Amino acid sequence: MSGEVVRLEHDGPLAVLTFDAPPLNLFDDAVFSGFRDAIATVAADPPRGLLIRAEGKVVSGGVDVGKVFDGMTAARGRALWDELLATIHVLEDLPLPTVFAAHGLCLTAAFEIALACDLLLAAPRARFGLVEIVVGLTPSMGGPQRLAERAGPARAKELIYSGELFDAPTLERWNVVNRVLDGEDFDAQARAFAARIAAGPTRAHAATKAIVAEQTERGVRAADAIVGEVSGALFDTEDLRNAVRSFLTDGPGQATYEGR
């Protein structure tokens, strides 16, 4: 709906979550609350894909320090991070592909949300930073550990310790950004990419997420141990059966999927 700082809309099989709190999309209580509610809504009735994006010149200028951190106590800080990390976990555990699109400056909370998504797309002009050191804080929505998972611990420490901004091509080289979309209409490209992924075999994508998550958390052999269960179950899905028939009748690449 118009006027909401966080909107959740649907475009066919794709859900689109948009941050729209001009001029800088700063994260305050309203934005944090809207984000939590939107992710809970997606989890309660999963679409086939999720795109997270933002309106305005920047993705986000970070957290509204005056509204959120001024006067914060240690007890309240622990509670806030526990609440937000719980939502990050829900986002990561969604049984569907999640894509974050960064068209411009993307700082702190927004960058941490991006790191919790499956894929991160960026415009060439996008810049990223976990700059919490400016207020004597460490990133606390999962950024350090997820950045280390993508780029390695030394790069994660460099980015956070320095408080510097890093451009999209650099972070693509570091395996933080998946793709830099170098075109005239980044938003249209990002939506088309996310829509194409969402139109794929949703149950197979969920199986891929489960296998990769198991490898990340417990290693290759642990991931091997769940393949039979999660991949074998796909033979009971309509999408696989229809795709096999399409492959045999029409050749590869002609199948369409319904997410069942």
Side-chain angles (χ1 to χ4, degrees):
M1 294 177 61
S2 178
E4 294 179 323
V5 294
V6 180
R7 297 195 307 274
L8 184 62
E9 303 161 312
H10 287 81
D11 183 5
L14 182 68
V16 182
L17 188 161
T18 300
F19 294 109
D20 190 7
L24 297 176
N25 292 321
L26 295 181
F27 278 72
D28 57 14
D29 289 344
V31 174
F32 280 131
S33 178
F35 171 64
R36 286 195 298 264
D37 290 347
I39 295 301
T41 298
V42 171
D45 186 15
R48 293 173 59 196
L50 173 65
L51 172 66
I52 301 180
R53 59 179 295 279
E55 290 288 350
K57 293 183 178 180
V58 304
V59 177
S60 176
V63 174
D64 191 322
V65 172
K67 291 182 178 179
V68 178
F69 293 154
D70 191 27
M72 177 81 74
T73 64
R76 177 55 190 147
R78 286 193 296 270
L80 175 63
W81 301 135
D82 286 346
E83 291 170 7
L84 292 171
L85 280 167
T87 299
I88 291 293
H89 295 163
V90 174
L91 169 60
E92 286 185 316
D93 291 343
L94 290 171
L96 49 99
T98 58
V99 179
F100 193 100
H103 65 280
L105 183 68
C106 184
L107 298 182
T108 68
F111 189 15
E112 293 184 280
I113 292 168
L115 292 169
C117 291
D118 297 328
L119 303 175
L120 173 51
L121 308 178
R125 63 184 179 277
R127 294 182 298 159
F128 300 84
L130 296 176
V131 297
E132 284 83 350
I133 61 166
V134 300
V135 293
L137 186 66
T138 186
S140 302
M141 283 178 61
Q145 53 271 45
R146 286 163 181 78
L147 188 59
E149 187 175 272
R150 290 178 181 236
R155 288 298 194 189
K157 292 172 186 175
E158 176 187 356
L159 193 147
I160 296 166
Y161 288 171
S162 70
E164 296 172 357
L165 302 183
F166 293 79
D167 61 30
T170 297
L171 293 192
E172 185 182 34
R173 292 195 301 272
W174 290 6
N175 295 321
V176 176
V177 168
N178 289 90
R179 296 190 183 188
V180 178
L181 303 181
D182 191 5
E184 293 184 1
D185 192 338
F186 171 77
D187 189 66
Q189 289 185 80
R191 284 176 180 266
F193 178 91
R196 177 168 60 84
I197 298 296
T202 312
R203 297 279 294 278
H205 290 332
T208 298
K209 286 188 69 166
I211 293 169
V212 172
E214 190 72 12
Q215 184 278 325
T216 301
E217 294 175 14
R218 298 181 179 85
V220 170
R221 290 297 181 92
D224 290 346
I226 71 167
V227 168
E229 178 182 359
V230 300
S231 182
L234 297 175
F235 288 99
D236 285 337
T237 65
E238 292 182 27
D239 277 347
L240 186 147
R241 291 169 177 166
N242 292 338
V244 169
R245 286 194 292 269
S246 174
F247 181 92
L248 295 174
T249 302
D250 304 316
Q254 303 303 311
T256 58
Y257 302 97
E258 300 295 331
R260 296 190 295 268

